[in-house]
Amino acid sequence: MLTLMDMIERVPSVIEAILENRKEATKEMMAYIAPRLQEIDEIVLVGSGTSNTCSQTSREVVEEVSGISTTAILPNVFLAKKAYNPNALYLFTSQSGTSTLTQEAQKKMKEAGNLVVAMSEADTTPLAKESGAHVDMGCGNEEFGQRTIGYCASILTQIMIGMEIGLARGYLSEEAYESYLADARRVPASHKAICEKTMKWFDDNKWKLMNVESFALYGAGPLWGVAQEGALKILEIAKRFLCVGYEMDDGMHGPTMGFTKKMGIIILNDGRNEGIANGLANYVKKEVGDCFVIGQNTIDTRDLPFDAVGGVFRCLEYAPVVEILAHRLAADYGIVTKEWKLQDPLPEAKYFNTHDEE
């Protein structure tokens, strides 16, 4: 019987396949945007839930590799806007392709004559069928509704879209393009090793992690998106904790005054905002309670040290840490993860629908 851990451990092979198939996956999109390629001056990433957190994670890197200002926005916020950029490329992400408001936002932009691209798990999804072009996110069939493969696959595919656009526009040289690919190709082996380290880290800190009442996760840049996704996964999978994901600096402006000994503070540290991250870790460890530093600049045995090797793709090396944390918090509390995929309909379906039926 499959478990969520099987999904997490499948990610390296998914990464390898996305890298191998990147040209074919983006072929339709590149042909579609070709007549207006040089006019594009903004990339807008639209999606809900994990499709939003993946966009918040990839946004900065998409901007870096494409050379085009990139924004990530929720569809409800997007639909409330009063002005839209006619020169933007609008990328709508929904793994199932059934997200109601994402479809509505795409329809609005398509009717306005703007460039619209859908990214979903197959070209047969409702979102794909109504788009100007479709990019397969490369996740394949993910058996569990609590997306882990889809999160990582969406991040990588969005970055690949950015790289193909950057290369086609002449912003990325062939050498730079290959250098980014080399970084990405180092991720699968690192992901596997970090999964093993994370399982041991959880075992070593099991009772501290399980005995808190809530979690606050911190990250800067792309790791802010990982922190947001981690908070979502702990909430929806472990079902016992209130969780929030903070941007490293913004999370210092007020939230720290609410810390208590019953909170678990997770700091995703890749060396960015080093002074803030290190200061926060030292403060919580010495003055408040349980703090766990992940990645760089670790302090004590409660932390999980590792060296990310994927360059701008390092967010994919941090992702399994928060996913495994959510999985182990659930499994070790006796929540039967293998039965989650049988939850149908979704809990909110009796009151409202966030996704349409295919």
Side-chain angles (χ1 to χ4, degrees), residues 43 45 58-67 70 158-159 162:
I43 297 173
L45 309 174
S58 71
R59 184 207 63 77
E60 183 178 293
V61 185
V62 172
E63 183 170 290
E64 175 179 331
V65 298
S66 68
T70 303
Q158 287 178 347
I159 297 174

Side-chain angles (χ1 to χ4, degrees), residues 218-282:
Y218 280 72
L223 296 190
W224 177 32
V226 179
Q228 291 175 299
E229 177 65 8
L232 173 61
K233 285 293 174 280
I234 294 169
L235 180 63
E236 71 178 354
I237 293 172
K239 305 178 187 293
R240 297 177 64 95
F241 308 92
L242 288 176
C243 307
V244 63
Y246 285 117
E247 193 278 329
M248 189 68 73
D249 175 68
D250 186 54
M252 302 293 285
H253 293 261
T256 53
M257 292 188 288
F259 287 172
T260 73
K261 292 184 180 298
K262 297 300 291 182
M263 292 183 68
I265 310 301
I266 307 287
I267 299 176
L268 305 176
N269 191 330
D270 63 355
R272 185 162 171 169
N273 289 159
E274 186 175 47
I276 296 174
N278 293 353
L280 177 62
N282 281 305

Side-chain angles (χ1 to χ4, degrees), residues 52-278:
N52 175 59
T53 59
C54 78
S55 298
Q56 296 291 350
T57 307
S58 71
R59 184 207 63 77
E60 183 178 293
V61 185
V62 172
E63 183 170 290
E64 175 179 331
V65 298
S66 68
I68 300 172
S69 178
T70 303
T71 303
I73 186 170
L74 291 162
N76 214 20
V77 177
F78 181 81
L79 286 165
K81 283 171 54 65
K82 305 304 179 186
Y84 298 91
N85 182 358
N87 297 318
L89 169 62
Y90 295 93
L91 177 61
F92 299 91
T93 300
S94 170
Q95 187 163 337
S96 67
T98 61
S99 179
T100 303
L101 290 185
T102 301
Q103 292 180 82
E104 185 179 334
Q106 177 180 257
K107 181 181 179 182
K108 184 174 184 176
M109 290 300 96
K110 187 177 181 181
E111 290 177 347
N114 296 327
L115 290 174
V116 295
V117 173
M119 195 175 84
S120 67
E121 64 187 5
D123 60 10
T124 56
T125 67
L127 190 72
K129 291 176 181 178
E130 297 301 321
S131 192
H134 177 253
V135 177
D136 191 312
M137 66 173 56
C139 60
N141 177 43
E142 184 169 4
E143 291 84 351
F144 290 87
Q146 292 86 352
R147 308 302 194 184
T148 51
I149 295 175
Y151 174 66
C152 292
S154 297
I155 293 168
L156 183 57
T157 300
Q158 287 178 347
I159 297 174
M160 290 298 106
I161 288 171
M163 286 175 58
E164 294 302 322
I165 291 173
L167 183 64
R169 285 167 56 95
Y171 177 79
L172 276 189
S173 66
E174 289 284 354
E175 292 77 13
Y177 180 91
E178 291 299 326
S179 178
Y180 280 117
L181 282 181
D183 285 341
R185 288 177 176 134
R186 285 191 281 269
V187 170
S190 178
H191 186 285
K192 293 177 184 177
I194 290 170
C195 282
E196 294 176 1
K197 289 182 179 180
T198 304
M199 292 290 276
K200 183 180 185 303
W201 168 76
F202 186 91
D203 287 334
D204 291 343
N205 295 278
K206 178 175 178 176
W207 298 114
K208 288 184 177 293
L209 290 163
M210 292 178 68
N211 286 331
V212 301
E213 294 178 349
S214 59
F215 284 97
L217 293 85
Y218 280 72
L223 296 190
W224 177 32
V226 179
Q228 291 175 299
E229 177 65 8
L232 173 61
K233 285 293 174 280
I234 294 169
L235 180 63
E236 71 178 354
I237 293 172
K239 305 178 187 293
R240 297 177 64 95
F241 308 92
L242 288 176
C243 307
V244 63
Y246 285 117
E247 193 278 329
M248 189 68 73
D249 175 68
D250 186 54
M252 302 293 285
H253 293 261
T256 53
M257 292 188 288
F259 287 172
T260 73
K261 292 184 180 298
K262 297 300 291 182
M263 292 183 68
I265 310 301
I266 307 287
I267 299 176
L268 305 176
N269 191 330
D270 63 355
R272 185 162 171 169
N273 289 159
E274 186 175 47
I276 296 174
N278 293 353

Side-chain angles (χ1 to χ4, degrees), residues 3-46:
T3 68
L4 189 66
M5 195 64 208
D6 294 318
M7 303 297 102
I8 297 169
E9 291 176 340
R10 193 189 296 170
V11 167
S13 63
V14 170
I15 291 173
E16 290 167 348
I18 291 172
L19 295 175
E20 178 67 24
N21 299 324
R22 67 191 185 281
K23 294 290 186 181
E24 184 61 29
T26 57
K27 182 179 179 180
E28 178 184 317
M29 180 200 72
M30 294 305 295
Y32 166 68
I33 68 174
R36 297 167 64 178
L37 181 64
Q38 298 302 329
E39 300 172 14
I40 298 171
D41 60 11
E42 184 181 15
I43 297 173
V44 182
L45 309 174
V46 184

Side-chain angles (χ1 to χ4, degrees), residues 328-354:
R328 287 296 305 272
L329 286 171
D332 287 55
Y333 266 118
I335 297 172
V336 185
T337 59
K338 66 176 179 292
E339 293 180 354
W340 290 338
K341 61 182 177 179
L342 303 178
Q343 289 183 356
D344 185 28
L346 292 172
E348 73 274 10
K350 66 179 71 173
Y351 302 109
F352 57 88
N353 290 318
T354 58

